[in-house]
Amino acid sequence: MSTEAMTATVDAAEAFGAMQFIWREAEILDRLDYKAWLPLWTQDGLYIIPTELGVKDHADALNVAYDNAEMREARVKRLRSGFSMSASPPARTVRTVSRFVFERDGDVLVVRSAMQIAEYKFERLRTIAADVEHHLEAAEGGQWQIGRKIVTLINADDYLHGIGYLF
């Protein structure tokens, strides 16, 4: 996506609505309510966690996740099954999302933000930080749906510990 394509302004009400949506998604993920998380997506939405920094073409790169609807559902099923070693027992998490930047690309609202996750598991507290890019599409009833979510961990190009939850 070029910067020239994203020149339209975003009004304050739309920006606040998008922030509320993203905060709600974070709260859903902290509750491990993956069943509520799946309908937040468009049918053709992509959930991407790159393994390299600065990659623009994620389809042609190695990723931790490059999930379409079918893969998101399979990942959720695995996380809820209790058979995933990295997800059992589930980590307790608290997400903080801030530093919102808004750009419009046609009908898509692109929201870039910073996210920190405090994770507690096995009597250990760990902090994870990431840049997140949501591509939000208007849905019926004035709601948003996620058309694309790219979670770039600040240590994406380093060794990653087992992560048994969604970002």
Side-chain angles (χ1 to χ4, degrees):
M1 179 178 335
S2 71
T3 304
E4 296 84 31
M6 298 186 293
T7 57
T9 59
V10 177
D11 70 41
E14 184 177 45
F16 186 67
M19 286 190 307
Q20 287 182 311
F21 176 83
I22 291 168
W23 287 329
R24 190 176 115 227
E25 182 202 17
E27 193 268 338
I28 286 169
L29 291 172
D30 283 338
R31 283 188 287 122
L32 306 175
D33 190 0
Y34 301 129
K35 193 173 180 179
W37 181 72
L38 289 172
L40 299 179
W41 292 80
T42 63
Q43 187 58 37
D44 61 346
L46 287 174
Y47 173 62
I48 303 167
I49 304 172
T51 58
E52 298 176 54
L53 301 173
V55 171
K56 298 294 179 200
D57 182 5
H58 299 287
D60 197 31
L62 183 62
N63 299 288
V64 173
Y66 189 85
D67 294 355
N68 60 14
E70 183 180 346
M71 284 301 298
R72 284 191 307 275
E73 289 178 23
R75 193 177 296 276
V76 164
K77 184 177 180 181
R78 189 173 52 249
L79 288 170
R80 297 179 70 200
S81 71
F83 294 115
S84 174
M85 292 292 286
S86 61
S88 185
R92 288 183 266 168
T93 59
V94 174
R95 288 164 175 76
T96 303
V97 186
S98 64
R99 198 192 69 213
F100 292 96
V101 176
F102 304 91
E103 296 172 330
R104 175 153 298 287
D105 185 19
D107 292 335
V108 176
L109 180 61
V110 179
V111 184
R112 290 183 282 118
S113 61
M115 179 175 62
Q116 284 193 332
I117 301 174
E119 169 199 287
Y120 182 75
K121 185 172 181 175
F122 299 127
E123 300 179 0
R124 185 192 71 211
L125 184 63
R126 184 168 64 147
T127 302
I128 298 170
D131 288 311
V132 182
E133 186 174 296
H134 282 85
H135 292 223
L136 301 179
E137 300 177 19
E140 289 184 32
Q143 300 297 311
W144 292 106
Q145 282 195 301
I146 304 168
R148 179 177 289 236
K149 181 177 178 182
I150 305 167
V151 180
T152 305
L153 302 170
I154 61 169
N155 60 336
D157 55 350
D158 198 358
Y159 173 79
L160 298 175
H161 295 274
I163 299 168
Y165 51 85
L166 300 169
F167 292 98

